[in-house]
Amino acid sequence: VTVPFWIAFQNYMKRQSSIWTRQDFLSVLVNMTDPKLFEDLDSPQSRAVDFILNDDALQLPPMSGNLIQRYALIVFYHSLGGDSWRFQSADWTVVSAENQVHECEWDFVTCKYGHVIKLKMEEQVASGALPAEIGLLSNLQVLSMFKCRLEGTLPNSLYELALLETLNLGENILESTISTKIGDLVNLERLDLHGNMLNGTIPSNIESLENLETLIVSNNYFDGTIPLAIGQLSRLGYLDLDSNKLVGSLPANLGELTRLTYLSLHSNMIEGPIPSSLGLLTELRVMDMDDNALSGTFPIEIGNLVKLTTIGLSFNKIGGTLPASLGNLNVLKRLTVVGNLLIGTIPTELEGLTKLTHLSANLNDLTGTIPTHMGRMLSLNQVFLEGNALTGTIPSELSQLTKLDQLLLQLNGLVGPEPKEMCSLKIKKYEADCTIKCGCCTWCY
């Protein structure tokens, strides 16, 4: 392509007014990049320098305000396999005298007053490690690279981004600990590192993140205890620590997180009783603590959490009875307490759970009869009560549950006859003991 004379002349004059060598550039970067990286002429850092000096249409002078920003982004590009990224508009390495693209116009980049404030690229065909030069983007507020195949460790320079509000590096292949320097990111509102291979403990100085509203570090290899510091994050609304190797007991001060709407701790090794202070979390919608080693009894204070839609306490060691206060949770949709040590009868107060669609209380030691009031819980779709010590007959009132799709009652002490009304429901999975002579069952034991 023939470049118009006036553009060529303009670029020539720009070069003449800002002639500088590679060594000049490296002297500017001496405190920003490890000098050893420039010894490899194919390193991302060397390629960034060469691009800016030789191929960049903008031909920035040494004192340009956005020189370092542009350099950091080009290093970022080459460190993460930028040649394989899917671009929609502006490629980061456009080399054309006719198309002098400012870095603020590149895909995935958002600027304010010429400074990069957001890097957001999700589910990209990227690969590689975050370079230390990410810390040169001192105005960055959002770094979101969900599912981009990032690997390696989190660079220490990441913790120097003092204006960072959102850090989302979920579902990558990162391997490292979270540095205690995380406490320096005092403006952070969202921290999402789920689905990586991170390990070590959750730093206690996370308490410094006074603006944090969302903390998601699930599906990693974190160990140690849940730090008391988390209970001091007064703005926290979403806490997800599930699927790690956390041990110890639940801190009682979690009850001070009065803005919390989501609490997920399932699939850890947390033990001890459920603190009654959790009954203070009146904004809570989801409480999932399945698959731990929790013990003690089911706190009656849970009945204060009238906004709860989900309770998951399966596969723990919780004993005692199901509290009658559960009947207060009139928007509850899912209650799972499978595989615990629960005893006693199913409370009649549960008839107030008119929104409940899923009830799993199987593999406990519940006694008494199946209460007739369950026939008034008209939203029920799945009921799993197998493996208890229930007696009596199947109440005919269950035939009113027209939305019922699965009903498992086997391995109890139930007797027949089966109410003939049950056959009208056409339940897809309906199992009971063969001694009941359940003509409508899909399977008997």
Side-chain angles (χ1 to χ4, degrees):
V1 178
T2 302
V3 178
F5 171 78
W6 69 272
I7 292 180
F9 179 75
Q10 184 181 55
N11 289 336
Y12 171 79
M13 292 303 294
K14 186 182 295 185
R15 288 185 176 93
Q16 294 306 305
S17 64
S18 59
I19 290 175
W20 59 320
T21 66
R22 176 183 172 87
Q23 195 56 44
D24 293 332
F25 198 175
L26 298 189
S27 67
V28 173
L29 301 173
V30 68
N31 295 319
M32 304 177 188
T33 293
D34 183 352
K36 293 181 180 179
L37 295 174
F38 295 118
E39 295 174 6
D40 178 3
L41 298 181
D42 198 42
S43 69
Q45 291 76 13
S46 286
R47 294 175 71 181
V49 168
D50 290 342
F51 172 79
I52 290 174
L53 286 177
N54 304 316
D55 299 320
D56 192 351
L58 288 189
Q59 286 295 304
L60 296 175
M63 302 305 293
S64 172
N66 63 319
L67 174 66
I68 299 305
Q69 172 175 278
R70 197 168 178 86
Y71 164 74
L73 288 174
I74 295 296
V75 172
F76 179 88
Y77 175 92
H78 288 300
S79 296
L80 299 176
D83 292 339
S84 64
W85 296 354
R86 299 184 299 269
F87 291 102
Q88 295 179 349
S89 54
D91 189 327
W92 286 32
T93 54
V94 171
V95 183
S96 168
E98 297 175 303
N99 190 6
Q100 301 181 16
V101 181
H102 192 282
E103 62 271 14
C104 290
E105 299 177 44
W106 289 343
D107 275 359
F108 322 125
V109 177
T110 301
C111 290
K112 186 175 182 180
Y113 306 126
H115 300 297
V116 176
I117 62 168
K118 181 188 293 187
L119 266 178
K120 184 175 182 180
M121 51 187 299
E122 300 181 348
E123 300 188 52
Q124 271 290 324
V125 188
S127 61
L130 276 176
E133 287 76 8
I134 193 72
L136 299 177
L137 301 175
S138 57
N139 293 283
L140 200 62
Q141 298 174 16
V142 175
L143 177 59
S144 184
M145 298 191 67
F146 169 74
K147 212 170 185 178
C148 284
R149 293 194 287 188
L150 295 177
E151 55 192 40
T153 61
L154 296 172
N156 283 331
S157 61
L158 188 65
Y159 305 107
E160 297 171 6
L161 299 173
L163 300 181
L164 204 61
E165 297 175 358
T166 295
L167 178 59
N168 181 1
L169 303 177
E171 294 196 30
N172 285 290
I173 324 169
L174 295 168
E175 298 178 85
S176 66
T177 59
I178 297 179
S179 169
T180 55
K181 292 181 179 180
I182 189 73
D184 294 339
L185 301 179
V186 294
N187 288 298
L188 206 59
E189 298 175 359
R190 178 182 177 86
L191 176 60
D192 186 349
L193 301 173
H194 81 277
N196 281 284
M197 302 173 67
L198 300 170
N199 55 71
T201 59
I202 300 172
S204 59
N205 68 339
I206 200 170
E207 67 185 1
S208 300
L209 308 183
E210 297 179 353
N211 295 300
L212 199 64
E213 298 174 357
T214 299
L215 175 59
I216 307 174
V217 294
S218 54
N219 288 281
N220 280 288
Y221 296 96
F222 291 113
D223 54 25
T225 60
I226 299 173
L228 289 171
I230 288 182
Q232 298 173 28
L233 300 174
S234 60
R235 296 190 179 185
L236 202 62
Y238 195 104
L239 177 60
D240 188 351
L241 308 179
D242 72 55
S243 304
N244 281 289
K245 298 181 178 181
L246 298 173
V247 297
S249 59
L250 289 173
N253 71 344
L254 290 181
E256 298 175 17
L257 301 176
T258 54
R259 297 187 183 185
L260 204 63
T261 63
Y262 185 96
L263 174 63
S264 181
L265 304 172
H266 75 74
S267 304
N268 281 287
M269 296 177 280
I270 302 168
E271 56 190 8
I274 300 171
S276 60
S277 59
L278 295 192
L280 300 173
L281 303 177
T282 53
E283 295 298 317
L284 202 62
R285 269 74 167 175
V286 173
M287 180 174 68
D288 185 356
M289 296 189 285
D290 289 341
D291 195 15
N292 279 285
L294 296 169
S295 56
T297 59
F298 202 125
I300 60 174
E301 292 83 359
I302 299 299
N304 298 332
L305 310 182
V306 294
K307 294 183 180 181
L308 272 177
T309 62
T310 299
I311 295 177
L313 290 171
S314 294
F315 301 109
N316 283 286
K317 301 175 182 179
I318 299 169
T321 61
L322 286 170
S325 62
L326 287 175
N328 299 333
L329 309 180
N330 56 17
V331 296
L332 193 67
K333 294 182 179 179
R334 185 178 181 87
L335 173 61
T336 62
V337 291
V338 182
N340 280 285
L341 305 172
L342 294 170
I343 59 173
T345 60
I346 300 172
T348 57
E349 288 81 0
L350 293 192
E351 68 177 304
L353 306 182
T354 57
K355 300 289 180 65
L356 197 70
T357 63
H358 183 108
L359 172 62
S360 292
N362 42 316
L363 304 179
N364 282 285
D365 199 21
L366 297 174
T367 56
T369 60
I370 299 174
T372 58
H373 71 256
M374 287 187 65
R376 293 192 288 275
M377 301 166 68
L378 299 179
S379 297
L380 278 172
N381 178 258
Q382 297 176 326
V383 176
F384 303 138
L385 295 174
E386 75 273 17
N388 280 287
L390 298 172
T391 56
T393 61
I394 299 173
S396 61
E397 286 81 357
L398 294 188
S399 64
Q400 300 171 35
L401 304 178
T402 56
K403 296 180 180 179
L404 204 58
D405 186 67
Q406 296 186 58
L407 176 63
L408 304 187
L409 302 174
Q410 69 272 22
L411 305 177
N412 279 288
L414 299 172
V415 296
E418 173 201 29
K420 60 182 181 180
E421 296 92 338
M422 294 297 294
C423 296
S424 64
L425 294 180
K426 298 180 181 179
I427 304 171
K428 290 182 180 178
K429 189 175 183 180
Y430 176 19
E431 300 178 0
D433 293 317
C434 296
T435 53
I436 295 178
K437 296 182 180 179
C438 184
C440 303
C441 287
T442 56
W443 191 262
C444 73
Y445 292 77

